[in-house]
Amino acid sequence: MTQAQTFLAGTALALLAALPAWAEEFRIAVGDGAGGTQEALGKAFVAALEKESGGEMTGKLFLNGQLGDEQDTVTAAATGTLDFSILAINNITPFSPSVGTLTLPYVILSQEDAETVTQGEVGRQMIEKTVEDAGVRIIGWGYSGFRVLTNSKKPVASVEDMQGLIVRVPKNEIMIETYKSWGINPTPMAWGETFAALQQKVVDGQDNPYMTVYAMKFDEVQKYVTELRYIFSIEPLIVSEALFEGLSEEKQAQILAAGEAATQASSAFLREQESRIRDELVARGMEITPPADGEKGFIELATTQVWPKFADQIGGIEVLNGVLTSLGRPTVQ
């Protein structure tokens, strides 16, 4: 055992020893595997929760969708059969449509944009709507970076290059229509089925952030990466509203404080780790291609076709304009 491993093991034992025998342990569903943003967010939340509660509350992470596909965990949390879940924001959108604004292509253009929206007034409004619509409360935000396209067939730099690929997407209408705007009829598929489908060549490719590609070991079944920047992947940490409302005001405040601490930790984690993980994927054999012409072809098709189509579904054009205004960008008609 290395010195670092010895230190971490000792720290873990010390934390366990510090927890009271009556500590309440919550179950936290995590869609991704070890090493990615979701796990990092979960670990930061558990550490902060133990600190805020003086050891009276803690949590256990269940990685790789052990407690169900990400959309299923929203339903489970809403019905009170699951405590917490960490999942991609597109998997909350079917339950709370206004959150889908953040999955519209090319709305979020940087990590700073993602932080501004989620941690500001727009984010607070989305939290309120998610409680109302879905019966779950967003208490923290994870940041995973842009969803790059991976595939096993060929380098892709343009919309034309993409033609003929069979691409897996989540069961999310906005993402499906984005690919259709590029001339692709994508294959909606549950997250838990994706690795096997890529491995068995049922589909050629998928899109996810570098952090997720790494955590899910997609480099074992994918060769080519296109650095699309159409969606910045945000990973909310949700709690069952039934559970939350059943707690004392003191414990509610402790959970919210732990969620805020985990949000800040996630911001730092992405900034520190994304470039390293990108380089590691290249070292493992993945080939990276930048989009041609600054992604202009992808942007024009997606924004002109997808934004108008989903304006009503996300709550009206004013919801989209509220996000754009918060980012200092021009509104749309």
Side-chain angles (χ1 to χ4, degrees):
M1 183 178 288
T2 66
Q3 184 175 359
Q5 289 171 325
T6 301
F7 172 78
L8 289 172
T11 302
L13 288 172
L15 285 172
L16 288 172
L19 293 176
W22 62 89
E24 186 171 9
E25 182 178 82
F26 298 116
R27 295 186 307 152
I28 305 173
V30 182
D32 287 352
T37 302
Q38 291 189 357
E39 183 195 38
L41 177 69
K43 285 183 172 180
F45 174 70
V46 171
L49 184 62
E50 291 174 356
K51 180 179 178 182
E52 292 289 338
S53 68
E56 292 187 7
M57 292 187 289
T58 185
K60 181 177 180 180
L61 304 182
F62 293 83
L63 303 176
N64 282 312
Q66 293 177 64
L67 301 184
D69 285 324
E70 290 189 353
Q71 287 191 16
D72 293 339
T73 67
V74 180
T75 302
T79 57
T81 59
L82 176 65
D83 303 323
F84 294 82
S85 180
I86 300 171
L87 66 165
I89 197 167
N90 51 272
N91 286 316
I92 291 184
T93 302
F95 304 91
S96 187
S98 65
V99 178
T101 311
L102 303 186
T103 68
L104 285 174
Y106 303 105
V107 167
I108 303 297
L109 301 179
S110 66
Q111 182 173 346
E112 290 74 22
D113 280 358
E115 292 164 347
T116 296
V117 170
T118 55
Q119 297 178 38
E121 179 58 30
V122 171
R124 285 189 286 274
Q125 292 172 3
M126 288 183 175
I127 290 169
E128 292 174 4
K129 288 295 291 181
T130 302
V131 171
E132 178 184 329
D133 295 340
V136 298
R137 178 181 295 267
I138 299 171
I139 59 164
W141 303 91
Y143 306 103
S144 291
F146 288 101
R147 295 180 73 106
V148 298
L149 173 69
T150 71
N151 83 91
S152 59
K153 281 196 166 181
K154 60 182 179 178
V156 171
S158 65
V159 173
E160 291 73 25
D161 292 340
M162 188 183 285
Q163 304 312 302
L165 290 181
I166 302 173
V167 181
R168 175 268 174 188
V169 295
K171 296 175 181 178
N172 177 278
E173 291 184 23
I174 293 173
M175 298 176 74
I176 290 169
E177 290 301 319
T178 299
Y179 273 91
K180 286 183 176 179
S181 78
W182 296 332
I184 296 292
N185 190 21
T187 302
M189 183 179 293
W191 182 230
E193 301 170 5
T194 303
F195 186 93
L198 294 169
Q199 187 176 45
Q200 296 165 13
K201 309 295 186 184
V202 174
V203 294
D204 301 317
Q206 60 85 50
D207 70 56
N208 262 293
Y210 281 120
M211 312 295 285
T212 304
V213 172
Y214 176 80
M216 299 304 294
K217 297 180 169 52
F218 283 162
D219 56 285
E220 296 178 0
V221 292
Q222 301 276 269
K223 174 72 172 177
Y224 304 101
V225 179
T226 305
E227 290 196 313
L228 292 183
R229 300 173 70 84
Y230 84 109
I231 291 179
F232 187 96
S233 191
I234 298 171
E235 317 276 356
L237 165 60
I238 62 172
V239 61
S240 164
E241 183 65 6
L243 167 66
F244 187 79
E245 289 297 330
L247 296 173
S248 67
E249 289 187 5
E250 181 183 18
K251 287 189 174 181
Q252 288 180 356
Q254 291 166 350
I255 285 175
L256 294 176
E260 171 61 23
T263 298
Q264 299 308 316
S266 181
S267 292
F269 180 80
L270 181 60
R271 287 191 168 90
E272 292 167 1
Q273 298 295 326
E274 186 175 40
S275 293
R276 180 190 67 80
I277 284 175
R278 180 185 184 276
D279 291 344
E280 174 65 21
L281 291 170
V282 171
R284 293 183 183 184
M286 299 195 85
E287 297 181 7
I288 297 175
T289 302
D293 197 21
E295 213 165 331
K296 183 178 178 181
F298 291 98
I299 294 170
E300 183 174 350
L301 288 168
T303 56
T304 58
Q305 294 185 38
V306 180
W307 285 15
K309 187 165 189 173
F310 288 94
D312 289 342
Q313 183 172 309
I314 63 171
I317 198 70
E318 63 273 12
V319 175
L320 172 58
N321 283 334
V323 173
L324 295 173
T325 298
S326 75
L327 296 174
R329 289 168 55 193
T331 58
V332 294
Q333 300 298 318

